Amino acid sequence: MTQRLTWVDAIKGFLMILVVIGHYPGEMDHPILTYIYWFHMPAFFLLSGLFFRPVSKNQTIGKSIKKRMLQLMIPYVFFVSLITILRYILAFATGNDSLDYYLNDFYSIVIGGRFARGCYAVIWFITTLVTVYVLFMLMTHYLKRWLQITVLISFYILAQLESHYVIDIVGGAADAASQAIFVPWNLDVALMAIVYFAIGYYARDLLKHIPLALYVISLGIVLWAMRAVWIGALDYHVSMKFIHYNHPVLDIVIPIACIIVLLGTFQFITKFIRLRVLEVVERHSLIIMYAHISFDKIFNNFFDYGIVGYTLVSFIPSILISWLFMRFIPYASFLTGNLRADRPAYFKKRLFIV
């Protein structure tokens, strides 16, 4: 069994569960959502960096960039279009014939990022990840290591300044305040995301085999932070989507400590047991990501449920749809990002070939 199967897929499956729980629309009487947001999205970026391969000097960087963009954006365009078509059919069928509604709604979907809400709450991650990949490919291809670090420090400072503007100058609720800065597709969030991505890349040898001493130190930091928030001694929140970072030091220390504990725990557990349930979640994670909010919006019209019911109605239909999609829909593998799979005739044009 490969190293990837023993812990990376399990971690990604676990993180996808946290993504779903993180979108729970109800109120909770404990800060579990605060804890989840400390690290679950930084972890996705760090894991992407962990397995990033820079473009060698004798390779064409344009081809590598194009490949990564197609792998991420073909599923993005397909699933966002599918959700939008189904939403508009349902809205029109239930009597919504306002042209302004469709125009304004479609505009918010096109600019995406933090401006797209509801069923599209997750799509910011894909466009941000594409931006991070492109920037980091260019940096590692053309810049020496010390220049890469300099650029990353500059990006981090800019991200903190942007967050300061959103939190302290604009003020108010983070989701509304962040929209005062108009950047489509949340491309500006790449300023922070690329730092987590770079940590995964630069520290990959260490992170693939977490030392016990590092694990214990990180666990101590995590437990301290959790307790401090629980008793009200620390007010620390992270929301990458809404450019909400609380502290220039803690924004590195707490997320990375959480991720180290996560990696170390799964690396240890999967030495003895294969976490098949989490592997299943990871295998269907793409459609779970795009579909889980839509299923909640459908079912909560008919049922009153808490966090457990919400999680079930988010996961079970999403996994079922994913299984049916991959088994019965033509070109499903290509539409979910496998560029080597059989593809529709339209996508055999040179534009889509790498």
Side-chain angles (χ1 to χ4, degrees):
M1 188 184 302
T2 65
Q3 183 189 48
R4 179 177 178 82
L5 281 178
T6 55
W7 61 275
V8 177
D9 287 346
I11 288 176
K12 287 186 175 181
F14 178 72
L15 289 172
M16 184 51 59
I17 293 174
L18 297 186
V19 167
V20 172
I21 294 174
H23 290 136
Y24 176 60
E27 296 292 331
M28 304 180 79
D29 58 0
H30 45 74
I32 186 172
L33 294 183
T34 297
Y35 300 153
I36 288 173
Y37 273 81
W38 283 354
F39 71 94
H40 75 319
M41 297 316 299
F44 277 114
F45 289 109
L46 184 142
L47 285 171
S48 297
L50 194 67
F51 296 96
F52 172 81
R53 292 184 179 181
V55 182
S56 64
K57 298 300 181 181
N58 58 353
Q59 288 181 301
T60 304
I61 190 170
K63 183 177 180 179
S64 298
I65 291 175
K66 179 181 177 182
K67 178 181 179 181
R68 180 58 65 182
M69 292 183 69
L70 290 175
Q71 285 175 330
L72 292 170
M73 293 307 295
I74 287 175
Y76 177 94
V77 172
F78 173 76
F79 284 109
V80 169
S81 299
L82 180 62
I83 291 170
T84 303
I85 291 169
L86 293 175
R87 282 185 60 243
Y88 286 0
I89 290 174
L90 181 61
F92 192 78
T94 54
N96 187 346
D97 58 359
S98 169
L99 180 61
D100 286 342
Y101 164 79
Y102 293 104
L103 290 176
N104 291 332
D105 186 81
F106 186 72
Y107 173 73
S108 70
I109 296 167
V110 170
I111 62 176
R114 51 189 169 270
F115 301 94
R117 309 296 295 277
C119 299
Y120 309 94
V122 298
I123 65 175
W124 72 272
F125 170 71
I126 300 299
T127 52
T128 301
L129 184 59
V130 169
T131 308
V132 168
Y133 265 115
V134 171
L135 287 175
F136 206 69
M137 281 184 188
L138 293 170
M139 287 169 53
T140 53
H141 190 70
Y142 292 113
L143 302 181
K144 294 184 181 298
R145 180 63 63 91
W146 70 270
L147 277 175
Q148 295 172 27
I149 301 299
T150 302
V151 171
L152 289 168
I153 292 173
S154 301
F155 283 169
Y156 188 76
I157 292 171
L158 287 173
Q160 291 291 333
L161 291 174
E162 185 181 36
S163 182
H164 168 69
Y165 175 79
V166 168
I167 297 172
D168 299 321
I169 298 179
V170 177
D175 56 347
S178 64
Q179 295 189 22
I181 300 177
F182 181 79
V183 179
W185 286 14
N186 266 28
L187 301 184
D188 51 342
V189 178
L191 295 170
M192 177 63 82
I194 197 171
V195 175
Y196 298 126
F197 187 98
I199 291 172
Y201 173 69
Y202 295 137
R204 60 193 183 279
D205 293 334
L206 177 68
L207 296 173
K208 287 180 180 179
H209 306 281
I210 301 295
L212 179 59
L214 180 61
Y215 182 88
V216 171
I217 293 170
S218 299
L219 181 61
I221 293 172
V222 172
L223 293 177
W224 165 80
M226 292 177 69
R227 183 179 183 277
V229 168
W230 187 278
I231 66 176
L234 175 67
D235 180 22
Y236 180 71
H237 298 271
V238 174
S239 176
M240 293 189 70
K241 176 180 179 179
F242 296 123
I243 329 173
H244 193 118
Y245 323 119
N246 264 43
H247 194 282
V249 175
L250 296 183
D251 290 336
I252 292 293
V253 173
I254 291 180
I256 297 304
C258 290
I259 294 169
I260 288 171
V261 172
L262 180 72
L263 296 181
T265 300
F266 276 88
Q267 287 170 9
F268 178 77
I269 292 173
T270 52
K271 288 179 181 179
F272 307 101
I273 183 173
R274 184 171 175 177
L275 302 175
R276 295 181 183 274
V277 172
L278 295 180
E279 289 180 22
V280 169
V281 173
E282 193 282 330
R283 194 156 54 244
H284 298 283
S285 60
L286 184 68
I287 291 180
I288 292 172
M289 180 185 70
Y290 282 109
H292 71 275
I293 297 176
S294 297
F295 280 118
D296 170 57
K297 289 186 175 297
I298 292 171
F299 284 104
N300 68 20
N301 290 318
F302 305 99
F303 304 101
D304 184 19
Y305 44 72
I307 183 64
V308 175
Y310 160 80
T311 304
L312 291 175
V313 301
S314 297
F315 270 103
I316 294 176
S318 297
I319 291 175
L320 177 60
I321 290 296
S322 179
W323 180 81
L324 292 172
F325 180 82
M326 297 304 297
R327 187 174 180 86
F328 296 109
I329 300 299
Y331 313 116
S333 185
F334 174 76
L335 294 172
T336 53
N338 182 2
L339 300 182
R340 296 181 179 180
D342 190 23
R343 60 182 66 196
Y346 177 80
F347 290 97
K348 293 179 181 179
K349 297 179 180 180
R350 184 176 179 181
L351 176 64
F352 301 100
I353 301 296
V354 291

